[in-house]
Amino acid sequence: MHWSYEGAAGPAKWGDLDAASKVCSLGSQQSPIDLGVALKSQLPPLVIAWNKTANTIINNGHTIQLDFGPGSTLAFGGDSYTLLQLHFHRPSEHLIDGKNFPMEAHFVHRNAAGGGLAVLGVLLAAGKPNETFSKIVSTMPSSPGPAIKADPAIDPNGLLPTQRNYYRYAGSLTTPPCSEIVEWLVLTDTMEVADTDIAQFTTLYPMNARPAQKDNRRYVLRSS
Ligand SMILES: [Zn+2]
C-alpha cells in the first residue's frame, strides 16, 4: 500500500487507503500526541541492555531504519521486550506543550510473551555532535533500496541520555496500519545531535512526522 506524509496519500487519508489501516482514522488511541499534560507518578525504572552494534541499515522510502539481531532487551515493571529496529522522524512526532523538536528516534521493541510493542522515543535537539547519529547519517543509503550491512561503529546506546526519566502512555504505530498495540515510553531528557547531521538527514526526509492526534482523555504518566 502506498502512503506518504503529504498529498492524496497523506496522514489525513491513511484510514481510507486500505481496510487494514481503518484504525488510522477510526481509532481512539492514536499516536503521536502532545505529552505536555502529564501526571507525575511512580513508574518502574527502564532497564536497557542493548548490544553495541546494529545488523543492517535501510532507506525504506519512509525513513532510515537500523535492524538489530536477537539479545538486546528493554525491561520494566516485570515485562521484557526485545529491540527490533531503530528509525528516525523529522521533525519529532511527539510534542511537549505544543512544541516539537528537530527530530525523534524510535527504538521499537516487541514483547517476548504477548507480541505487543514498546517504543522508546528519544527527542533529538540541535547541539553538539553525537557519534552514533553522525555515523548513521554518513553511512545511510541516499535512495530507497535493500538493507545493507550497518557500520560496526553504530552503537544504539550512544543515542541514550544518562537520565532515563520518561513519559508513558498507551498508543499506536505512527505509520499505517496505525495498530493500537504500542506502550509508548518517551524519555524526558533530549539528546543533542549536530545541526549539520540533521541537515544531512533532511536532504533525504525533510518531513516524515505524523501530526499529533487527539488524546481522547488518555492519561500520560511521567516518572519525575
Ligand atoms: Zn517512528
PDB file of all heavy atoms in Angstrom, residues 195-215:
ATOM      1  N   ASP A 195      23.734  19.966  14.114  1.00  0.00           N
ATOM      2  CA  ASP A 195      22.868  20.634  13.153  1.00  0.00           C
ATOM      3  C   ASP A 195      23.148  20.152  11.728  1.00  0.00           C
ATOM      4  O   ASP A 195      22.228  19.933  10.936  1.00  0.00           O
ATOM      5  CB  ASP A 195      23.157  22.136  13.265  1.00  0.00           C
ATOM      6  CG  ASP A 195      21.925  22.960  12.961  1.00  0.00           C
ATOM      7  OD1 ASP A 195      20.809  22.423  13.083  1.00  0.00           O
ATOM      8  OD2 ASP A 195      22.095  24.129  12.573  1.00  0.00           O
ATOM      9  N   THR A 196      24.442  19.968  11.415  1.00  0.00           N
ATOM     10  CA  THR A 196      24.813  19.545  10.063  1.00  0.00           C
ATOM     11  C   THR A 196      24.320  18.117   9.782  1.00  0.00           C
ATOM     12  O   THR A 196      23.970  17.792   8.646  1.00  0.00           O
ATOM     13  CB  THR A 196      26.350  19.577   9.883  1.00  0.00           C
ATOM     14  OG1 THR A 196      26.959  18.886  10.994  1.00  0.00           O
ATOM     15  CG2 THR A 196      26.872  20.992   9.845  1.00  0.00           C
ATOM     16  N   ASP A 197      24.253  17.276  10.834  1.00  0.00           N
ATOM     17  CA  ASP A 197      23.749  15.914  10.649  1.00  0.00           C
ATOM     18  C   ASP A 197      22.228  15.917  10.456  1.00  0.00           C
ATOM     19  O   ASP A 197      21.692  15.139   9.663  1.00  0.00           O
ATOM     20  CB  ASP A 197      24.140  15.015  11.831  1.00  0.00           C
ATOM     21  CG  ASP A 197      25.634  14.705  11.830  1.00  0.00           C
ATOM     22  OD1 ASP A 197      26.243  14.737  10.745  1.00  0.00           O
ATOM     23  OD2 ASP A 197      26.191  14.443  12.912  1.00  0.00           O
ATOM     24  N   ILE A 198      21.558  16.809  11.185  1.00  0.00           N
ATOM     25  CA  ILE A 198      20.104  16.960  10.970  1.00  0.00           C
ATOM     26  C   ILE A 198      19.866  17.419   9.525  1.00  0.00           C
ATOM     27  O   ILE A 198      18.990  16.899   8.832  1.00  0.00           O
ATOM     28  CB  ILE A 198      19.496  17.987  11.957  1.00  0.00           C
ATOM     29  CG1 ILE A 198      19.614  17.479  13.394  1.00  0.00           C
ATOM     30  CG2 ILE A 198      18.035  18.274  11.607  1.00  0.00           C
ATOM     31  CD1 ILE A 198      19.218  18.506  14.456  1.00  0.00           C
ATOM     32  N   ALA A 199      20.685  18.364   9.075  1.00  0.00           N
ATOM     33  CA  ALA A 199      20.545  18.887   7.702  1.00  0.00           C
ATOM     34  C   ALA A 199      20.752  17.777   6.679  1.00  0.00           C
ATOM     35  O   ALA A 199      20.059  17.709   5.657  1.00  0.00           O
ATOM     36  CB  ALA A 199      21.532  20.027   7.476  1.00  0.00           C
ATOM     37  N   GLN A 200      21.719  16.893   6.971  1.00  0.00           N
ATOM     38  CA  GLN A 200      22.003  15.769   6.070  1.00  0.00           C
ATOM     39  C   GLN A 200      20.796  14.826   5.985  1.00  0.00           C
ATOM     40  O   GLN A 200      20.389  14.418   4.896  1.00  0.00           O
ATOM     41  CB  GLN A 200      23.232  15.023   6.623  1.00  0.00           C
ATOM     42  CG  GLN A 200      23.812  13.986   5.701  1.00  0.00           C
ATOM     43  CD  GLN A 200      24.475  14.622   4.484  1.00  0.00           C
ATOM     44  OE1 GLN A 200      25.023  15.724   4.576  1.00  0.00           O
ATOM     45  NE2 GLN A 200      24.384  13.946   3.352  1.00  0.00           N
ATOM     46  N   PHE A 201      20.202  14.514   7.131  1.00  0.00           N
ATOM     47  CA  PHE A 201      19.000  13.668   7.145  1.00  0.00           C
ATOM     48  C   PHE A 201      17.865  14.358   6.386  1.00  0.00           C
ATOM     49  O   PHE A 201      17.115  13.711   5.638  1.00  0.00           O
ATOM     50  CB  PHE A 201      18.574  13.379   8.598  1.00  0.00           C
ATOM     51  CG  PHE A 201      17.419  12.410   8.710  1.00  0.00           C
ATOM     52  CD1 PHE A 201      17.644  11.046   8.833  1.00  0.00           C
ATOM     53  CD2 PHE A 201      16.095  12.867   8.682  1.00  0.00           C
ATOM     54  CE1 PHE A 201      16.581  10.150   8.922  1.00  0.00           C
ATOM     55  CE2 PHE A 201      15.028  11.970   8.769  1.00  0.00           C
ATOM     56  CZ  PHE A 201      15.272  10.611   8.885  1.00  0.00           C
ATOM     57  N   THR A 202      17.785  15.680   6.565  1.00  0.00           N
ATOM     58  CA  THR A 202      16.713  16.458   5.940  1.00  0.00           C
ATOM     59  C   THR A 202      16.781  16.434   4.420  1.00  0.00           C
ATOM     60  O   THR A 202      15.754  16.551   3.743  1.00  0.00           O
ATOM     61  CB  THR A 202      16.771  17.915   6.455  1.00  0.00           C
ATOM     62  OG1 THR A 202      16.714  17.872   7.884  1.00  0.00           O
ATOM     63  CG2 THR A 202      15.618  18.751   5.928  1.00  0.00           C
ATOM     64  N   THR A 203      17.976  16.265   3.863  1.00  0.00           N
ATOM     65  CA  THR A 203      18.079  16.192   2.399  1.00  0.00           C
ATOM     66  C   THR A 203      17.342  14.952   1.887  1.00  0.00           C
ATOM     67  O   THR A 203      16.820  14.960   0.768  1.00  0.00           O
ATOM     68  CB  THR A 203      19.552  16.137   1.916  1.00  0.00           C
ATOM     69  OG1 THR A 203      20.170  14.951   2.420  1.00  0.00           O
ATOM     70  CG2 THR A 203      20.332  17.366   2.363  1.00  0.00           C
ATOM     71  N   LEU A 204      17.268  13.894   2.702  1.00  0.00           N
ATOM     72  CA  LEU A 204      16.526  12.690   2.302  1.00  0.00           C
ATOM     73  C   LEU A 204      15.065  12.772   2.728  1.00  0.00           C
ATOM     74  O   LEU A 204      14.163  12.423   1.975  1.00  0.00           O
ATOM     75  CB  LEU A 204      17.148  11.428   2.921  1.00  0.00           C
ATOM     76  CG  LEU A 204      18.616  11.146   2.632  1.00  0.00           C
ATOM     77  CD1 LEU A 204      18.982   9.762   3.154  1.00  0.00           C
ATOM     78  CD2 LEU A 204      18.906  11.252   1.144  1.00  0.00           C
ATOM     79  N   TYR A 205      14.829  13.187   3.977  1.00  0.00           N
ATOM     80  CA  TYR A 205      13.485  13.222   4.544  1.00  0.00           C
ATOM     81  C   TYR A 205      13.214  14.565   5.229  1.00  0.00           C
ATOM     82  O   TYR A 205      13.405  14.706   6.427  1.00  0.00           O
ATOM     83  CB  TYR A 205      13.288  12.051   5.522  1.00  0.00           C
ATOM     84  CG  TYR A 205      13.276  10.731   4.793  1.00  0.00           C
ATOM     85  CD1 TYR A 205      14.378   9.880   4.825  1.00  0.00           C
ATOM     86  CD2 TYR A 205      12.194  10.380   4.004  1.00  0.00           C
ATOM     87  CE1 TYR A 205      14.378   8.690   4.105  1.00  0.00           C
ATOM     88  CE2 TYR A 205      12.187   9.199   3.273  1.00  0.00           C
ATOM     89  CZ  TYR A 205      13.273   8.361   3.331  1.00  0.00           C
ATOM     90  OH  TYR A 205      13.275   7.194   2.609  1.00  0.00           O
ATOM     91  N   PRO A 206      12.768  15.552   4.463  1.00  0.00           N
ATOM     92  CA  PRO A 206      12.502  16.871   5.061  1.00  0.00           C
ATOM     93  C   PRO A 206      11.317  16.869   6.019  1.00  0.00           C
ATOM     94  O   PRO A 206      11.242  17.699   6.916  1.00  0.00           O
ATOM     95  CB  PRO A 206      12.220  17.773   3.857  1.00  0.00           C
ATOM     96  CG  PRO A 206      11.936  16.855   2.715  1.00  0.00           C
ATOM     97  CD  PRO A 206      12.622  15.550   3.001  1.00  0.00           C
ATOM     98  N   MET A 207      10.364  15.939   5.854  1.00  0.00           N
ATOM     99  CA  MET A 207       9.197  15.898   6.734  1.00  0.00           C
ATOM    100  C   MET A 207       8.639  14.478   6.734  1.00  0.00           C
ATOM    101  O   MET A 207       7.997  14.058   5.780  1.00  0.00           O
ATOM    102  CB  MET A 207       8.129  16.885   6.245  1.00  0.00           C
ATOM    103  CG  MET A 207       7.252  17.455   7.346  1.00  0.00           C
ATOM    104  SD  MET A 207       6.282  16.218   8.246  1.00  0.00           S
ATOM    105  CE  MET A 207       4.989  15.937   7.034  1.00  0.00           C
ATOM    106  N   ASN A 208       8.879  13.739   7.807  1.00  0.00           N
ATOM    107  CA  ASN A 208       8.302  12.394   7.915  1.00  0.00           C
ATOM    108  C   ASN A 208       7.738  12.163   9.312  1.00  0.00           C
ATOM    109  O   ASN A 208       8.002  11.156   9.954  1.00  0.00           O
ATOM    110  CB  ASN A 208       9.303  11.300   7.504  1.00  0.00           C
ATOM    111  CG  ASN A 208      10.481  11.169   8.449  1.00  0.00           C
ATOM    112  OD1 ASN A 208      10.722  12.038   9.281  1.00  0.00           O
ATOM    113  ND2 ASN A 208      11.215  10.068   8.347  1.00  0.00           N
ATOM    114  N   ALA A 209       6.924  13.131   9.765  1.00  0.00           N
ATOM    115  CA  ALA A 209       6.282  13.040  11.078  1.00  0.00           C
ATOM    116  C   ALA A 209       4.768  13.104  10.911  1.00  0.00           C
ATOM    117  O   ALA A 209       4.252  14.000  10.245  1.00  0.00           O
ATOM    118  CB  ALA A 209       6.758  14.178  11.975  1.00  0.00           C
ATOM    119  N   ARG A 210       4.069  12.167  11.544  1.00  0.00           N
ATOM    120  CA  ARG A 210       2.610  12.231  11.575  1.00  0.00           C
ATOM    121  C   ARG A 210       2.193  13.348  12.525  1.00  0.00           C
ATOM    122  O   ARG A 210       2.785  13.508  13.598  1.00  0.00           O
ATOM    123  CB  ARG A 210       2.040  10.896  12.091  1.00  0.00           C
ATOM    124  CG  ARG A 210       0.527  10.820  12.005  1.00  0.00           C
ATOM    125  CD  ARG A 210       0.001   9.563  12.684  1.00  0.00           C
ATOM    126  NE  ARG A 210      -1.377   9.296  12.314  1.00  0.00           N
ATOM    127  CZ  ARG A 210      -2.169   8.411  12.915  1.00  0.00           C
ATOM    128  NH1 ARG A 210      -1.693   7.703  13.929  1.00  0.00           N
ATOM    129  NH2 ARG A 210      -3.410   8.230  12.516  1.00  0.00           N
ATOM    130  N   PRO A 211       1.150  14.117  12.176  1.00  0.00           N
ATOM    131  CA  PRO A 211       0.703  15.178  13.093  1.00  0.00           C
ATOM    132  C   PRO A 211       0.174  14.591  14.409  1.00  0.00           C
ATOM    133  O   PRO A 211      -0.227  13.435  14.461  1.00  0.00           O
ATOM    134  CB  PRO A 211      -0.436  15.856  12.330  1.00  0.00           C
ATOM    135  CG  PRO A 211      -0.322  15.417  10.920  1.00  0.00           C
ATOM    136  CD  PRO A 211       0.379  14.090  10.930  1.00  0.00           C
ATOM    137  N   ALA A 212       0.168  15.418  15.463  1.00  0.00           N
ATOM    138  CA  ALA A 212      -0.342  14.981  16.772  1.00  0.00           C
ATOM    139  C   ALA A 212      -1.816  14.604  16.654  1.00  0.00           C
ATOM    140  O   ALA A 212      -2.583  15.247  15.940  1.00  0.00           O
ATOM    141  CB  ALA A 212      -0.151  16.077  17.804  1.00  0.00           C
ATOM    142  N   GLN A 213      -2.198  13.541  17.347  1.00  0.00           N
ATOM    143  CA  GLN A 213      -3.553  13.016  17.331  1.00  0.00           C
ATOM    144  C   GLN A 213      -4.302  13.416  18.610  1.00  0.00           C
ATOM    145  O   GLN A 213      -3.695  13.843  19.581  1.00  0.00           O
ATOM    146  CB  GLN A 213      -3.500  11.482  17.229  1.00  0.00           C
ATOM    147  CG  GLN A 213      -2.678  10.987  16.052  1.00  0.00           C
ATOM    148  CD  GLN A 213      -3.347  11.306  14.728  1.00  0.00           C
ATOM    149  OE1 GLN A 213      -4.461  10.879  14.472  1.00  0.00           O
ATOM    150  NE2 GLN A 213      -2.659  12.081  13.890  1.00  0.00           N
ATOM    151  N   LYS A 214      -5.631  13.224  18.605  1.00  0.00           N
ATOM    152  CA  LYS A 214      -6.433  13.533  19.797  1.00  0.00           C
ATOM    153  C   LYS A 214      -6.030  12.598  20.946  1.00  0.00           C
ATOM    154  O   LYS A 214      -5.848  11.402  20.727  1.00  0.00           O
ATOM    155  CB  LYS A 214      -7.916  13.310  19.499  1.00  0.00           C
ATOM    156  CG  LYS A 214      -8.500  14.306  18.520  1.00  0.00           C
ATOM    157  CD  LYS A 214     -10.029  14.208  18.550  1.00  0.00           C
ATOM    158  CE  LYS A 214     -10.669  15.160  17.558  1.00  0.00           C
ATOM    159  NZ  LYS A 214     -10.595  14.627  16.184  1.00  0.00           N
ATOM    160  N   ASP A 215      -5.939  13.143  22.153  1.00  0.00           N
ATOM    161  CA  ASP A 215      -5.565  12.254  23.261  1.00  0.00           C
ATOM    162  C   ASP A 215      -6.770  11.459  23.779  1.00  0.00           C
ATOM    163  O   ASP A 215      -6.604  10.430  24.430  1.00  0.00           O
ATOM    164  CB  ASP A 215      -4.837  12.999  24.384  1.00  0.00           C
ATOM    165  CG  ASP A 215      -5.696  14.027  25.083  1.00  0.00           C
ATOM    166  OD1 ASP A 215      -6.925  13.862  25.140  1.00  0.00           O
ATOM    167  OD2 ASP A 215      -5.129  15.009  25.600  1.00  0.00           O
TER     168      ASP A 215
END
